[in-house]
Amino acid sequence: MIKIAPSILNGDMSNIAATVAMLDRAEADWLHLDVMDGVFVPNITFGPKTIADMRPQTKTFLDAHLMVHDPNTLLEEFAKAGADLITVHYESPGCTHLDRVIQRIHGLGVKAGVALNPATPDSVLDYILDSLDLVLVMSVNPGFGGQKFIPYSLRKIESIANKAAKRGVNLEIEVDGGVKVNNAAEVINAGATVLVAGTAVVCAPDPIQAVKDLKACAK
Ligand code: DX5
Ligand code: ZN
């Protein structure tokens, strides 16, 4: 089943509770939470305290995408906050020992994902693919919502999907950046199983309808 994971990034950051309630009404499958530290990416958002405060407001699966210089110091806090999945970036300087980071996330009882920037080949994950719950393919350069989908991302999604199928691993492939109703079908056909949609949902005139429309693309 394809999951729709709206990102709250371009919603009203002074009223996250309203966005969460709205996305619950829209029956979003996951909530995509973009954590940015102003170092790894040129933008700053929120941290574990915000996620901990959101946790009692929704039963929806919380998908934390950490765009930070060093996720290691924060993993325990994010797990305690109630994140269901923690995705770290392959390119984060703190992920030099990526295998260890993944083991640590699993040790905290949380699902583990690795995100790849657009220019990073998926082959860097060949040896750890079997230990991951998710690979996040960035289809824009991370930092901001509302950017244009990079078409070569489709080839990377296909490559990861082929490897996962060949090895029989149960892997979610999440695509993040510039996903909209007009490209959702090709992203799904390439092998994506989780679609992040930021501006396409929260900036739509009718966000609830926007989630429905994306779900319809997945059928
Ligand atoms: C970008 C973030 C995305 C962003 C997606 O760095 O990781 O999750 O919110 O927004 P859209 O869908 O507008 O590209
Ligand atoms: Zn994201």
Side-chain angles (χ1 to χ4, degrees):
M1 210 197 71
I2 308 294
K3 296 173 191 73
I4 307 300
S7 161
I8 65 166
L9 178 66
N10 276 53
D12 181 351
M13 278 290 152
S14 70
N15 194 0
I16 293 177
T19 307
V20 171
M22 181 274 289
L23 293 173
D24 262 356
R25 285 201 302 281
E27 294 176 17
D29 300 295
W30 288 7
L31 289 184
H32 184 79
L33 307 176
D34 289 305
V35 176
M36 305 186 182
D37 67 350
V39 181
F40 181 66
V41 287
N43 197 2
I44 298 177
T45 56
F46 50 81
K49 170 73 163 66
T50 305
I51 297 180
D53 290 348
M54 286 169 72
R55 186 67 284 182
Q57 298 172 20
T58 180
K59 289 191 169 63
T60 306
F61 187 95
L62 297 182
D63 161 24
H65 175 195
L66 307 193
M67 287 160 275
V68 300
H69 182 83
D70 183 6
N72 287 292
T73 52
L74 298 164
L75 295 178
E76 231 172 308
E77 288 306 307
F78 280 110
K80 263 198 247 152
D84 295 292
L85 165 81
I86 296 177
T87 296
V88 296
H89 263 264
Y90 168 79
E91 303 85 0
S92 288
C95 289
T96 307
H97 305 288
L98 186 59
D99 183 281
R100 181 184 290 146
V101 178
I102 298 306
Q103 287 185 47
R104 279 197 57 210
I105 298 172
H106 280 148
L108 293 164
V110 177
K111 291 198 156 108
V114 176
L116 300 177
N117 279 340
T120 305
D122 61 281
S123 57
V124 298
L125 300 180
D126 279 357
Y127 291 100
I128 60 161
L129 208 58
D130 304 59
S131 32
L132 301 179
D133 299 294
L134 175 144
V135 175
L136 186 159
V137 175
M138 283 302 314
S139 42
V140 297
N141 290 293
F144 303 95
Q147 304 180 77
K148 215 172 146 307
F149 183 87
I150 298 174
Y152 65 69
S153 314
L154 292 171
R155 297 200 327 255
K156 203 190 293 186
I157 300 165
E158 271 166 21
S159 170
I160 298 164
N162 285 335
K163 284 176 191 171
K166 239 187 230 160
R167 300 187 196 185
V169 290
N170 191 12
L171 183 76
E172 299 279 9
I173 302 175
E174 183 171 37
V175 181
D176 187 4
V179 175
K180 303 196 175 333
V181 182
N182 62 11
N183 61 9
E186 44 177 356
V187 169
I188 293 164
N189 287 339
T193 60
V194 185
L195 268 52
V196 175
T199 48
V201 171
V202 296
C203 300
D206 182 349
I208 294 183
Q209 186 60 42
V211 174
K212 272 194 197 143
D213 293 345
L214 283 165
K215 284 190 171 188
C217 297
K219 287 216 172 102

